[in-house]
Amino acid sequence: MKNKPFFILLLVLTFFACQEDHTQRNLENARDIKKKELVFANINKAWGFVFSNLNSENQHIINNWKGWNDFKNEAKQKPKSTIGAFQQKAKTLSKKMVDITIGLPYQFNNNQVKSRLKVLTTKINSLDLYLHLHQIPDQKVITLIKDINTDITSVEVQIDEVLKRSKIKVEEGEQDLIQILNTSRAIPTVKANIPAN
């Protein structure tokens, strides 16, 4: 009986402590929701990928490159509803970058284009990674989107450069000169075994 008031006091204190904890949790949830809404608004505002159009005489070559066109079409579609939609879009873009070299036109099958595509792939994969973190670093994502646009432009400029170079006619004898300068085709020097007398 002597412990009864002590137990009642303990129950009352526990009740108020739980109420205070519940209120604190609600405040933290409200702050977390506002932060996520701000991150979503910042990313939504910055999201957008810019592609240029090649001149019409070169457009047919690009139109036959399925990997690039799939990536381009997917990147142009902007997610709208939630941060989850942006996460799904980044994941899809990352998968499209895996397939981008499939069906690569022979004109672009060179180190200049491939290296730019690899840099673009790395940035897209980084975007996917950042968007799937628990605390999304929205400023890093915004910077990365700008970098991706720069890399897209770099790929397109290199494609245009390759197409311009392919239209330049080879002068008479130039191909022979290129073959002569190619050191991999040089005749190896072989020491003759001369018998000693």
Side-chain angles (χ1 to χ4, degrees):
M1 280 302 207
K2 292 183 181 180
N3 292 335
K4 190 174 185 181
F6 176 72
F7 285 121
I8 291 174
L9 180 62
L10 187 62
L11 283 173
V12 170
L13 288 175
T14 305
F15 175 74
F16 284 117
C18 289
Q19 287 290 42
E20 188 176 301
D21 187 45
H22 184 68
T23 306
Q24 183 67 24
R25 199 173 320 126
N26 284 343
L27 287 173
E28 287 176 10
N29 286 342
R31 266 188 260 132
D32 192 40
I33 289 171
K34 282 187 178 184
K35 185 176 180 181
K36 286 182 180 180
E37 287 174 353
L38 180 63
V39 167
F40 172 76
N42 289 340
I43 292 173
N44 189 36
K45 184 178 176 183
W47 192 277
F49 300 106
V50 181
F51 294 87
S52 63
N53 291 323
L54 296 173
N55 57 25
S56 58
E57 62 187 55
N58 296 330
Q59 194 63 41
H60 72 280
I61 296 170
I62 298 298
N63 288 342
N64 292 333
W65 185 8
K66 184 176 179 349
W68 180 256
N69 289 319
D70 289 348
F71 168 72
K72 185 176 175 179
N73 292 335
E74 190 66 41
K76 284 184 174 182
Q77 298 171 8
K78 182 178 180 179
K80 294 181 178 148
S81 55
T82 63
I83 201 70
F86 285 105
Q87 290 170 335
Q88 185 60 39
K89 179 60 75 173
K91 188 176 184 179
T92 304
L93 288 174
S94 186
K95 287 179 183 176
K96 295 289 181 188
M97 289 307 295
V98 171
D99 298 334
I100 204 160
T101 56
I102 296 173
L104 182 69
Y106 73 92
Q107 297 98 322
F108 310 134
N109 194 6
N110 58 43
N111 290 336
Q112 294 86 355
V113 174
K114 285 182 175 181
S115 63
R116 284 167 175 78
L117 288 173
K118 286 180 183 177
V119 169
L120 181 60
T121 301
T122 302
K123 298 273 177 74
I124 295 288
N125 290 339
S126 296
L127 178 67
D128 185 29
L129 175 76
Y130 284 142
L131 285 173
H132 281 88
L133 293 175
H134 180 66
Q135 295 290 331
I136 298 172
D138 57 336
Q139 294 307 313
K140 286 186 179 182
V141 170
I142 291 167
T143 303
L144 200 53
I145 290 170
K146 291 176 185 175
D147 290 346
I148 289 170
N149 278 323
T150 302
D151 292 334
I152 288 171
T153 302
S154 176
V155 170
E156 291 177 331
V157 165
Q158 188 60 44
I159 287 171
D160 198 38
E161 183 69 25
V162 167
L163 294 173
K164 283 180 184 175
R165 286 183 182 177
S166 69
K167 299 223 184 309
I168 298 173
K169 293 183 180 180
V170 178
E171 292 183 18
E172 185 179 326
E174 184 177 353
Q175 193 63 35
D176 295 334
L177 181 63
I178 290 171
Q179 286 180 352
I180 290 171
L181 294 175
N182 186 353
T183 58
S184 66
R185 294 180 40 99
I187 300 171
T189 54
V190 179
K191 290 186 177 182
N193 289 336
I194 303 174
N197 288 340

